[in-house]
Amino acid sequence: MTVPKEMPEKWARAGAPHSWSRKKPSWGTEEERRARANDREYNEKFQYASNCIKTSKYNILTFLPVNLFEQFQEVANTYFLFLLILQLIPQISSLSWFTTIVPLVLVLTITAVKDATDDYFRHKSDNQVNNRQSQVLINGVLQQEQWMNVCVGDIIKLENNQFVAADLLLLSSSEPHGLCYIETAELDGETNMKVRQAIPVTSELGDISKLAKFDGEVICEPPNNKLDKFSGTLYWKENKFPLSNQNMLLRGCVLRNTEWCFGLVIFAGPDTKLMQNSGRTKFKRTSIDRLMNTLVLWIFGFLVCMGVILAIGNAIWEHEVGTRFQVYLPWDEAVDSAFFSGFLSFWSYIIILNTVVPISLYVSVEVIRLGHSYFINWDKKMFCMKKRTPAEARTTTLNEELGQVEYIFSDKTGTLTQNIMVFNKCSIHGRSYGDVFDVLGHKAELGERPEPVDFSFNPLADKKFLFWDPSLLEAVKMGDHHTHEFFRLLSLCHTVMSEEKNEGELYYKAQSPDEGALVTAARNFGFVFRSRTPKTITVHELGTAITYQLLAILDFNNIRKRMSVIVRNPEGKIRLYCKGADTILLERLHHSTQELLNTTTDHLNEYAGEGLRTLVLAYKDLDEEYYEEWAERRLQASLAQDSREDRLASVYEEVESDMMLLGATAIEDKLQQGVPETIALLTLANIKIWVLTGDKQETAVNIGYSCKMLTDDMTEVFIVTGHTVLEVREELRKAREKMMDSSRTVGNGFTYQEKLSSKLASVLDAVAGEYALVINGHSLAHALEADMELEFLETACACKAVICCRVTPLQKAQVVELVKKYKKAVTLAIGDGANDVSMIKTAHIGVGISGQEGIQAVLASDYSFSQFKFLQRLLLVHGRWSYLRMCKFLCYFFYKNFAFTMVHFWFGFFCGFSAQTVYDQYFITLYNIVYTSLPVLAMGVFDQDVPEQRSMEYPKLYEPGQLNLLFNKREFFICIAQGIYTSVLMFFIPYGVFAEATRDDGTQLADYQSFAVTVATSLVIVVSVQIGLDTGYWTAINHFFIWGSLAVYFAILFAMHSNGLFDMFPNQFRFVGNAQNTLAQPTVWLTIVLTTVVCIMPVVAFRFLRLHLKPDLSDTVRYTQLVRKKQKAQHRCMRRVGRTGSRRSGYAFSHQEGFGELIMSGKNMRVSSLALSSFTTRSSSSWIESLRRKKSDSASSPSGGADKPLKG
Amino acid sequence: MTWSATARGAHQPDNTAFTQQRLPAWQPLLSASIALPLFFCAGLAFIGLGLGLYYSSNGIKELEYDYTGDLGTSNCSVCAAAGQGRAPPPRCSCAWYFSLPELFQGPVYLYYELTNFYQNYRRYGVSRDDEQLSGLPSALRHPANECAPYQLSAAGLPIAPCGAIANSLFNDSFSLWHQRRAGGPYVEVPLDRTGIAWWTDYHVKFRNPPLVNGSLALAFQGTAPPPNWHRPVYELSTDPNNTGFINQDFVVWMRTAALPTFRKLYARIRQGNYSAGLPRGAYRVNITYNYPVRAFGGHKRIIFSSISWMGGKNPFLGIAYLVVGSLCILMGFVMLVVYIRYQDQNDEDEE
């Protein structure tokens, strides 16, 4: 299938549409939509939205007000605005207004620039989409128009592989009966093709002249977001024609295998179903974010407490001292009592103490996360060369949570597996082919394969097909009867469609990749399926074209687990070919094949042991009379009104008996690279992996084994398949009992139920042995009910591996939600398809596998990359580092601000609680944004405790994140305590020194300005030394920032205290000459040194003792690495062990039923190839009818819709 | 925050040390070889410094006298009682007699100390106009609002210098008399009242407004002195280099103190026979008692002190250094013990 090399439009960009440039219809909410073809004037009066889409939020004029309005919706920004207003009140203002406005403006600017950049790219992508060309029928002529100029009611022409420009009513197409094929990958992620059909009356409007005269009017539902529903009516020539979703082409689809088609625009631009679906995504927050918000609230509480204490202090002081001190300092006019003065003082203190929660905290956190996101994007080791796809952090706010993941929910198909099926081995008449032997005849190991088999004899061979066992080809060439029959079966018994663009250039369109693999294998071994009509199949058998008459397709379904075809060969012999699941088929064989059956069973076990998907092939000769009689019964059954399905099934069952065994195929469901290793490593990192797949149980279990989630060493694998609540409950209970039994100690007086109710979790946590749980979709539906979900969760969590199969997208999300709700653990969901979107959106972190055809999952995801194996790097390296860095950053940040701010509190006791600041106002302004921001940012962005290889070698290093050890309330209080300790010393040491001291020239030392400079300088030095201690990875950048910050501090200090600035603004730069006078004093430096040492030494001692008495794993790893470099770290080697189990693998079907019918009806055949076939309109419409009925059946039955299996 | 930095088919990321987070880096580890020497060295250095500081601080002599005059403790109590009310009090003087048995090693500095005086009170601290004090004529006429209620006089004239700080200028004055022999005459000891302010304050921060017709008085015409002052600012001293805003007493006062107890330099004794210090003998300090402090429970002291390389008497620093140094050494030993035991344990583990 050729995909146009066009960039997929980022339609449903997460969080895209905020405000549509949408003109509401004049009567308000639209109740129904009317659109008349070729009548722009008529349609214009409804003022429908144009096809111009707008995902951008601002334009040049609205940017400033709208952006500011949005930004001030943030609590933090409003809080700082409030502070700013407080500062403008002269009685309260304890700080100049610029101490708040400078950081605030800085923050607002940074955010605004980022928003503007985002919006610029949105504008660009909008323009790109809006300016796409499309052919519109205007005044009877086809004209090129930009997409944005397409209006409701226009008729537009689409060509093959073009994107559909708007939601269209299909009028006619190049294909017979107005059929056309579309791919909906952009819409729902499903890559298989879907059929749409025009209603018969319009399907004849093939040429432009007829279309130009078409003046039908469509009345339909208003715009909505239901992708699979549409109801409307076409009024044309006095007639009414019902319209359904079958007639619609939705924006975002791609036209495939259809030369051209015409459509009438019904919904345009923002009204299209695609755009209606792209809602604002839920904003995810990390647990650190939530913790941070709690802590910030606590700090506010603390701030208010301090304010109250100081205000009370002020009231008392004013009452006791201030009243009498009025000789020198009268109260303000407005202040008439000590109480009122205390009240004002409260607000003044709120202003000066607000730096405990500086605005720069939020900005810095964002900057750090952005840096980490870039590191993810830049990571070469997460770049997929094959698909040229880099990893992408689509959300920049979740990085540190990657270091805390405890549960991974993974999709199977496309995520763990490549969804590529490879014909790997086969067993034909008791002989197994496909093992690779080296020259000496030993079984070759993987990786040292000899040359693949040469298929050059066959001009129709598929070049991409590789097979390593030459003996099979020899058998074919030797004319081995069984081998020929084996491949004949493969080339006949399937529902694949072929397309031959040029002579010999065959393309197979298979519903399931398994079938494609089998038919391709037959093709290469000389049995080339060439073409089919509803009644015939043409196969090139070793160069000769043979046409078989296709009598019946006994289609696959999930109960039958097999499919058969009945064909008449040119000689007139009728034969039934059947392929199906071994468990089913082996029971239906003729008893004469017992010996062959045994050998084949052995082979099957062997294949299953290697994790291959197996199918058994059999045939049966039918004589003419029997067939006629059977065909009659089948016809009766198919015409039956009631229980048609059952009757057909029994008719099928009758003929598929006593078959002769031909052999078995083994298909490798190719795992993505490095999946078992990744899973093993993540398991070692104590991450639990659950596989949630829409696939069948057999396949899922099979994959579980091949990716080492399930092993034969496991004590037991519980399989829950109950259909009723009671069954499921019983099965879960049994599983728990087994786990309990193994770990039960003697003399346990409690009954099981008591334990379950009392402390289920803790009991099950202590389970010994390894267990796994496999649960089916329908059982899961019961297990997820409110009264059982806890039982299920605890059982599942006690297991090492959990596989849920046949689950619906909704159930996937429910399982994630369940774990999120009760386990309080960080969850990560990874998937590639549209069916994973709900799970990806639900989980704390959603990861999309990119580089696939569908991009729905990627669009919904927070991170995307193209290989499952990159997950280990994302979590163990990037996630771990991000978490570590963020925690260190936060600890330090709170520390430095408490150290900075609390000094004011202590000073309050010595300045009459007057809200006098200890520092110069410029220092207060710049402390957080200049003097101390960059070193901690550098640490937050670059710090590493152990090199990346080590975090892979020691997965246990990941555990502190899961247990949330590095930043929690306890750590926070330690930081705060350290900050307060520092602030106490920072104030009282200079106090002690300065109280009575004089300078070396005899003048006063303890003047306010010198005191301020001394405290500020020691503060900057202490926090710089502290960041130096905290920085574990001193890159040049760290050096630059740390030394640079100190240098900048002194530079700014001297500049601010210089004569020049004072001469210009004497009232703003009052500290003139202070720096040089103060810092020239030995006493001042002695004070600074003393303060620094007293603040830092305990920290050093504490860290040293912890390193030696109770080292962390990361400390040990670093220690080992640095101190004893000689000792090589133990390398964990992952052996690739083949499974030697006895489990029978799944069968290789994954398509849904209904395709056989489509083929037999001939509806999807081109007219040319149908020349010989005897199809009638009636039969074709019956096909459509039945398909439609089936759809509506499955939709209306309550469980049917939900349990509809989806691509894993 | 959602953004798309990359698109499909993008280029391979750059293989640089920066993008791949492989920047060369120094990864210090708090190993024993760093931490232990650090503690011992720091400890020793601190003890050494501490001893030095302690002895030099001990070598400094201080002589102080509380002349507030509470409850008749001194002969200033008369003045104190007289000045109980609001400023300005009546002129009153008292004296402090002391004798030195030996030479008071010079240079000797004379300080006054105030306690419980909140120069660091926020509203007090901002109640000044540095533009005015730096001699800007416009600010002289229009003092800043911060000066209120000492911005404009009752007559509506701008106050120069404005503000609460200037208004509360310390206006006691001292003179020192020396009696060489018992019964002999008291000789006035010359007090150097210049050079008591910072160079930058005296030269940069404080400047008189431009003279009008060569007269400072005319420059200040149209302004009123602060309400507490007896004389206008241009008459603070007769020395043209020490009057107006650049009067050194005024400059010193305007450099507000950080703490409610503070001492400010009044004069230096370094002239004539007294350059080496105050010789033995009897002394008398004449105090002109103007400044009321008892209203708010403050005290006034007069202090004679010598200084060393590290300034005046400062026992705190020396003791603090000694304590911290000892703690460092102690901590070092604890760490050493832990380290050795850990090492043993580690070796056992390895064997």
Side-chain angles (χ1 to χ4, degrees), chain A residues 318 366 396 885 914 1002 1007 1033 1086 1124, chain B residues 1 3 21 23 111 121-122 255 292 321 350:
Chain A
E318 290 287 358
E366 293 295 308
T396 56
R885 291 163 179 172
S914 61
D1007 71 283
Y1033 191 77
L1086 286 170
R1124 280 170 274 172
Chain B
M1 216 196 265
W3 45 279
Q21 305 195 60
L23 285 175
Y111 300 91
Y121 198 90
R122 176 170 55 87
R255 178 153 288 278
Y321 263 79
E350 274 175 18

PDB file of all heavy atoms in Angstrom, chain A residues 318 366 396 885 914 1002 1007 1033 1086 1124, chain B residues 1 3 21 23 111 121-122 255 292 321 350:
ATOM      1  N   GLU A 318       4.685  48.840  69.635  1.00  0.00           N
ATOM      2  CA  GLU A 318       4.174  50.209  69.497  1.00  0.00           C
ATOM      3  C   GLU A 318       3.541  50.672  70.809  1.00  0.00           C
ATOM      4  O   GLU A 318       3.643  51.832  71.184  1.00  0.00           O
ATOM      5  CB  GLU A 318       3.136  50.294  68.361  1.00  0.00           C
ATOM      6  CG  GLU A 318       3.721  50.139  66.960  1.00  0.00           C
ATOM      7  CD  GLU A 318       4.513  51.358  66.499  1.00  0.00           C
ATOM      8  OE1 GLU A 318       4.578  52.344  67.244  1.00  0.00           O
ATOM      9  OE2 GLU A 318       5.088  51.312  65.388  1.00  0.00           O
ATOM     10  N   GLU A 366       9.550  25.079  35.296  1.00  0.00           N
ATOM     11  CA  GLU A 366       9.213  24.931  33.885  1.00  0.00           C
ATOM     12  C   GLU A 366      10.468  24.884  33.018  1.00  0.00           C
ATOM     13  O   GLU A 366      10.567  24.089  32.093  1.00  0.00           O
ATOM     14  CB  GLU A 366       8.327  26.094  33.419  1.00  0.00           C
ATOM     15  CG  GLU A 366       6.959  26.106  34.041  1.00  0.00           C
ATOM     16  CD  GLU A 366       6.124  24.899  33.638  1.00  0.00           C
ATOM     17  OE1 GLU A 366       6.018  24.653  32.427  1.00  0.00           O
ATOM     18  OE2 GLU A 366       5.612  24.204  34.526  1.00  0.00           O
ATOM     19  N   THR A 396       5.836  18.880  28.225  1.00  0.00           N
ATOM     20  CA  THR A 396       7.098  19.180  28.887  1.00  0.00           C
ATOM     21  C   THR A 396       6.938  19.231  30.388  1.00  0.00           C
ATOM     22  O   THR A 396       7.859  19.586  31.091  1.00  0.00           O
ATOM     23  CB  THR A 396       7.629  20.542  28.416  1.00  0.00           C
ATOM     24  OG1 THR A 396       6.621  21.497  28.674  1.00  0.00           O
ATOM     25  CG2 THR A 396       7.957  20.519  26.962  1.00  0.00           C
ATOM     26  N   ARG A 885      16.934  15.325  39.617  1.00  0.00           N
ATOM     27  CA  ARG A 885      17.246  16.744  39.454  1.00  0.00           C
ATOM     28  C   ARG A 885      16.142  17.610  40.029  1.00  0.00           C
ATOM     29  O   ARG A 885      16.410  18.595  40.722  1.00  0.00           O
ATOM     30  CB  ARG A 885      17.402  17.057  37.963  1.00  0.00           C
ATOM     31  CG  ARG A 885      18.628  16.445  37.364  1.00  0.00           C
ATOM     32  CD  ARG A 885      18.535  16.425  35.864  1.00  0.00           C
ATOM     33  NE  ARG A 885      19.739  15.848  35.272  1.00  0.00           N
ATOM     34  CZ  ARG A 885      19.852  15.571  33.984  1.00  0.00           C
ATOM     35  NH1 ARG A 885      18.849  15.798  33.169  1.00  0.00           N
ATOM     36  NH2 ARG A 885      20.957  15.059  33.520  1.00  0.00           N
ATOM     37  N   SER A 914       9.063  46.450  62.524  1.00  0.00           N
ATOM     38  CA  SER A 914       8.619  47.509  61.633  1.00  0.00           C
ATOM     39  C   SER A 914       8.644  47.098  60.169  1.00  0.00           C
ATOM     40  O   SER A 914       8.485  47.941  59.305  1.00  0.00           O
ATOM     41  CB  SER A 914       9.533  48.709  61.817  1.00  0.00           C
ATOM     42  OG  SER A 914      10.849  48.342  61.491  1.00  0.00           O
ATOM     43  N   GLY A1002      37.826  53.265  63.446  1.00  0.00           N
ATOM     44  CA  GLY A1002      37.170  53.794  64.617  1.00  0.00           C
ATOM     45  C   GLY A1002      35.724  54.156  64.424  1.00  0.00           C
ATOM     46  O   GLY A1002      34.993  54.351  65.381  1.00  0.00           O
ATOM     47  N   ASP A1007      26.390  50.014  61.207  1.00  0.00           N
ATOM     48  CA  ASP A1007      25.323  50.788  60.597  1.00  0.00           C
ATOM     49  C   ASP A1007      24.490  49.858  59.728  1.00  0.00           C
ATOM     50  O   ASP A1007      24.927  48.790  59.324  1.00  0.00           O
ATOM     51  CB  ASP A1007      25.895  51.960  59.799  1.00  0.00           C
ATOM     52  CG  ASP A1007      26.590  51.526  58.562  1.00  0.00           C
ATOM     53  OD1 ASP A1007      27.743  51.040  58.703  1.00  0.00           O
ATOM     54  OD2 ASP A1007      26.014  51.637  57.478  1.00  0.00           O
ATOM     55  N   TYR A1033      27.577  16.925  39.632  1.00  0.00           N
ATOM     56  CA  TYR A1033      28.128  16.751  38.293  1.00  0.00           C
ATOM     57  C   TYR A1033      28.521  18.130  37.789  1.00  0.00           C
ATOM     58  O   TYR A1033      27.692  18.868  37.259  1.00  0.00           O
ATOM     59  CB  TYR A1033      27.041  16.109  37.424  1.00  0.00           C
ATOM     60  CG  TYR A1033      27.484  15.607  36.087  1.00  0.00           C
ATOM     61  CD1 TYR A1033      28.180  14.412  35.983  1.00  0.00           C
ATOM     62  CD2 TYR A1033      27.164  16.296  34.914  1.00  0.00           C
ATOM     63  CE1 TYR A1033      28.562  13.928  34.750  1.00  0.00           C
ATOM     64  CE2 TYR A1033      27.545  15.817  33.685  1.00  0.00           C
ATOM     65  CZ  TYR A1033      28.232  14.627  33.603  1.00  0.00           C
ATOM     66  OH  TYR A1033      28.606  14.139  32.374  1.00  0.00           O
ATOM     67  N   LEU A1086      35.826  38.230  58.320  1.00  0.00           N
ATOM     68  CA  LEU A1086      35.864  37.191  59.362  1.00  0.00           C
ATOM     69  C   LEU A1086      34.448  36.728  59.681  1.00  0.00           C
ATOM     70  O   LEU A1086      34.199  35.542  59.882  1.00  0.00           O
ATOM     71  CB  LEU A1086      36.534  37.735  60.618  1.00  0.00           C
ATOM     72  CG  LEU A1086      38.052  37.899  60.515  1.00  0.00           C
ATOM     73  CD1 LEU A1086      38.588  38.661  61.720  1.00  0.00           C
ATOM     74  CD2 LEU A1086      38.724  36.540  60.423  1.00  0.00           C
ATOM     75  N   ARG A1124      37.160   2.871  43.369  1.00  0.00           N
ATOM     76  CA  ARG A1124      37.778   1.639  42.889  1.00  0.00           C
ATOM     77  C   ARG A1124      37.484   1.445  41.415  1.00  0.00           C
ATOM     78  O   ARG A1124      36.641   0.651  41.028  1.00  0.00           O
ATOM     79  CB  ARG A1124      37.273   0.464  43.712  1.00  0.00           C
ATOM     80  CG  ARG A1124      37.998   0.357  45.046  1.00  0.00           C
ATOM     81  CD  ARG A1124      37.321  -0.647  45.915  1.00  0.00           C
ATOM     82  NE  ARG A1124      36.230  -0.042  46.653  1.00  0.00           N
ATOM     83  CZ  ARG A1124      35.361  -0.733  47.388  1.00  0.00           C
ATOM     84  NH1 ARG A1124      35.447  -2.033  47.436  1.00  0.00           N
ATOM     85  NH2 ARG A1124      34.413  -0.122  48.051  1.00  0.00           N
TER      86      ARG A1124
ATOM     87  N   MET B   1       1.641  22.276  28.848  1.00  0.00           N
ATOM     88  CA  MET B   1       2.533  22.830  27.838  1.00  0.00           C
ATOM     89  C   MET B   1       2.715  21.788  26.742  1.00  0.00           C
ATOM     90  O   MET B   1       3.212  20.701  27.005  1.00  0.00           O
ATOM     91  CB  MET B   1       3.867  23.126  28.501  1.00  0.00           C
ATOM     92  CG  MET B   1       4.541  24.333  27.994  1.00  0.00           C
ATOM     93  SD  MET B   1       6.236  24.298  28.511  1.00  0.00           S
ATOM     94  CE  MET B   1       6.162  25.268  29.972  1.00  0.00           C
ATOM     95  N   TRP B   3       4.005  21.089  22.805  1.00  0.00           N
ATOM     96  CA  TRP B   3       4.657  21.668  21.648  1.00  0.00           C
ATOM     97  C   TRP B   3       5.195  20.549  20.800  1.00  0.00           C
ATOM     98  O   TRP B   3       5.339  19.427  21.250  1.00  0.00           O
ATOM     99  CB  TRP B   3       5.767  22.623  22.066  1.00  0.00           C
ATOM    100  CG  TRP B   3       6.623  22.073  23.129  1.00  0.00           C
ATOM    101  CD1 TRP B   3       6.350  22.058  24.468  1.00  0.00           C
ATOM    102  CD2 TRP B   3       7.871  21.414  23.005  1.00  0.00           C
ATOM    103  NE1 TRP B   3       7.336  21.459  25.150  1.00  0.00           N
ATOM    104  CE2 TRP B   3       8.286  21.049  24.288  1.00  0.00           C
ATOM    105  CE3 TRP B   3       8.684  21.101  21.921  1.00  0.00           C
ATOM    106  CZ2 TRP B   3       9.476  20.378  24.522  1.00  0.00           C
ATOM    107  CZ3 TRP B   3       9.866  20.450  22.172  1.00  0.00           C
ATOM    108  CH2 TRP B   3      10.242  20.097  23.458  1.00  0.00           C
ATOM    109  N   GLN B  21      24.166  14.609  26.840  1.00  0.00           N
ATOM    110  CA  GLN B  21      24.410  14.682  28.283  1.00  0.00           C
ATOM    111  C   GLN B  21      25.694  13.967  28.675  1.00  0.00           C
ATOM    112  O   GLN B  21      25.742  13.257  29.659  1.00  0.00           O
ATOM    113  CB  GLN B  21      23.236  14.103  29.058  1.00  0.00           C
ATOM    114  CG  GLN B  21      21.932  14.772  28.694  1.00  0.00           C
ATOM    115  CD  GLN B  21      20.850  14.461  29.697  1.00  0.00           C
ATOM    116  OE1 GLN B  21      20.972  14.768  30.861  1.00  0.00           O
ATOM    117  NE2 GLN B  21      19.789  13.846  29.246  1.00  0.00           N
ATOM    118  N   LEU B  23      28.672  15.720  28.798  1.00  0.00           N
ATOM    119  CA  LEU B  23      29.650  16.773  29.021  1.00  0.00           C
ATOM    120  C   LEU B  23      30.687  16.298  30.027  1.00  0.00           C
ATOM    121  O   LEU B  23      30.340  15.645  31.012  1.00  0.00           O
ATOM    122  CB  LEU B  23      28.955  18.010  29.582  1.00  0.00           C
ATOM    123  CG  LEU B  23      28.137  18.855  28.623  1.00  0.00           C
ATOM    124  CD1 LEU B  23      27.426  19.948  29.383  1.00  0.00           C
ATOM    125  CD2 LEU B  23      29.020  19.458  27.569  1.00  0.00           C
ATOM    126  N   TYR B 111      33.280  57.822  71.765  1.00  0.00           N
ATOM    127  CA  TYR B 111      31.986  57.461  71.190  1.00  0.00           C
ATOM    128  C   TYR B 111      30.885  57.896  72.113  1.00  0.00           C
ATOM    129  O   TYR B 111      31.067  58.029  73.310  1.00  0.00           O
ATOM    130  CB  TYR B 111      31.873  55.944  71.042  1.00  0.00           C
ATOM    131  CG  TYR B 111      32.909  55.328  70.155  1.00  0.00           C
ATOM    132  CD1 TYR B 111      34.123  54.873  70.674  1.00  0.00           C
ATOM    133  CD2 TYR B 111      32.659  55.177  68.796  1.00  0.00           C
ATOM    134  CE1 TYR B 111      35.067  54.298  69.859  1.00  0.00           C
ATOM    135  CE2 TYR B 111      33.603  54.591  67.965  1.00  0.00           C
ATOM    136  CZ  TYR B 111      34.804  54.164  68.507  1.00  0.00           C
ATOM    137  OH  TYR B 111      35.731  53.593  67.692  1.00  0.00           O
ATOM    138  N   TYR B 121      14.159  51.417  62.653  1.00  0.00           N
ATOM    139  CA  TYR B 121      12.733  51.315  62.414  1.00  0.00           C
ATOM    140  C   TYR B 121      12.463  51.740  60.976  1.00  0.00           C
ATOM    141  O   TYR B 121      13.008  52.724  60.501  1.00  0.00           O
ATOM    142  CB  TYR B 121      11.960  52.196  63.386  1.00  0.00           C
ATOM    143  CG  TYR B 121      10.495  51.830  63.482  1.00  0.00           C
ATOM    144  CD1 TYR B 121      10.075  50.904  64.418  1.00  0.00           C
ATOM    145  CD2 TYR B 121       9.556  52.392  62.631  1.00  0.00           C
ATOM    146  CE1 TYR B 121       8.735  50.548  64.501  1.00  0.00           C
ATOM    147  CE2 TYR B 121       8.225  52.031  62.699  1.00  0.00           C
ATOM    148  CZ  TYR B 121       7.805  51.110  63.641  1.00  0.00           C
ATOM    149  OH  TYR B 121       6.492  50.753  63.721  1.00  0.00           O
ATOM    150  N   ARG B 122      11.605  50.957  60.300  1.00  0.00           N
ATOM    151  CA  ARG B 122      11.447  51.181  58.868  1.00  0.00           C
ATOM    152  C   ARG B 122      11.031  52.613  58.545  1.00  0.00           C
ATOM    153  O   ARG B 122      11.643  53.281  57.700  1.00  0.00           O
ATOM    154  CB  ARG B 122      10.418  50.209  58.282  1.00  0.00           C
ATOM    155  CG  ARG B 122      10.118  50.444  56.812  1.00  0.00           C
ATOM    156  CD  ARG B 122       9.301  49.334  56.216  1.00  0.00           C
ATOM    157  NE  ARG B 122       8.077  49.094  56.950  1.00  0.00           N
ATOM    158  CZ  ARG B 122       6.946  49.757  56.722  1.00  0.00           C
ATOM    159  NH1 ARG B 122       6.902  50.692  55.797  1.00  0.00           N
ATOM    160  NH2 ARG B 122       5.866  49.504  57.416  1.00  0.00           N
ATOM    161  N   ARG B 255      23.992  58.173  59.035  1.00  0.00           N
ATOM    162  CA  ARG B 255      24.255  56.759  58.716  1.00  0.00           C
ATOM    163  C   ARG B 255      23.614  55.941  59.827  1.00  0.00           C
ATOM    164  O   ARG B 255      24.212  55.699  60.861  1.00  0.00           O
ATOM    165  CB  ARG B 255      25.767  56.521  58.617  1.00  0.00           C
ATOM    166  CG  ARG B 255      26.150  55.098  58.342  1.00  0.00           C
ATOM    167  CD  ARG B 255      27.473  54.969  57.641  1.00  0.00           C
ATOM    168  NE  ARG B 255      27.372  55.402  56.251  1.00  0.00           N
ATOM    169  CZ  ARG B 255      26.903  54.610  55.273  1.00  0.00           C
ATOM    170  NH1 ARG B 255      26.535  53.392  55.535  1.00  0.00           N
ATOM    171  NH2 ARG B 255      26.821  55.069  54.060  1.00  0.00           N
ATOM    172  N   PRO B 292      17.051  64.245  74.957  1.00  0.00           N
ATOM    173  CA  PRO B 292      16.219  63.470  75.885  1.00  0.00           C
ATOM    174  C   PRO B 292      16.074  62.028  75.406  1.00  0.00           C
ATOM    175  O   PRO B 292      15.721  61.777  74.258  1.00  0.00           O
ATOM    176  CB  PRO B 292      14.867  64.187  75.835  1.00  0.00           C
ATOM    177  CG  PRO B 292      14.830  64.864  74.511  1.00  0.00           C
ATOM    178  CD  PRO B 292      16.223  65.025  74.010  1.00  0.00           C
ATOM    179  N   TYR B 321      35.158  31.979  66.987  1.00  0.00           N
ATOM    180  CA  TYR B 321      36.144  31.249  66.187  1.00  0.00           C
ATOM    181  C   TYR B 321      36.717  30.084  66.973  1.00  0.00           C
ATOM    182  O   TYR B 321      36.885  28.991  66.443  1.00  0.00           O
ATOM    183  CB  TYR B 321      37.247  32.194  65.726  1.00  0.00           C
ATOM    184  CG  TYR B 321      37.007  32.711  64.315  1.00  0.00           C
ATOM    185  CD1 TYR B 321      36.116  33.742  64.075  1.00  0.00           C
ATOM    186  CD2 TYR B 321      37.687  32.145  63.244  1.00  0.00           C
ATOM    187  CE1 TYR B 321      35.881  34.204  62.797  1.00  0.00           C
ATOM    188  CE2 TYR B 321      37.455  32.601  61.958  1.00  0.00           C
ATOM    189  CZ  TYR B 321      36.559  33.631  61.736  1.00  0.00           C
ATOM    190  OH  TYR B 321      36.337  34.060  60.459  1.00  0.00           O
ATOM    191  N   GLU B 350      34.711  -7.622  52.043  1.00  0.00           N
ATOM    192  CA  GLU B 350      35.403  -8.016  50.825  1.00  0.00           C
ATOM    193  C   GLU B 350      36.078  -9.349  50.981  1.00  0.00           C
ATOM    194  O   GLU B 350      36.176 -10.128  50.039  1.00  0.00           O
ATOM    195  CB  GLU B 350      36.406  -6.942  50.414  1.00  0.00           C
ATOM    196  CG  GLU B 350      35.736  -5.877  49.575  1.00  0.00           C
ATOM    197  CD  GLU B 350      36.650  -4.740  49.238  1.00  0.00           C
ATOM    198  OE1 GLU B 350      37.870  -4.917  49.351  1.00  0.00           O
ATOM    199  OE2 GLU B 350      36.136  -3.678  48.867  1.00  0.00           O
TER     200      GLU B 350
END
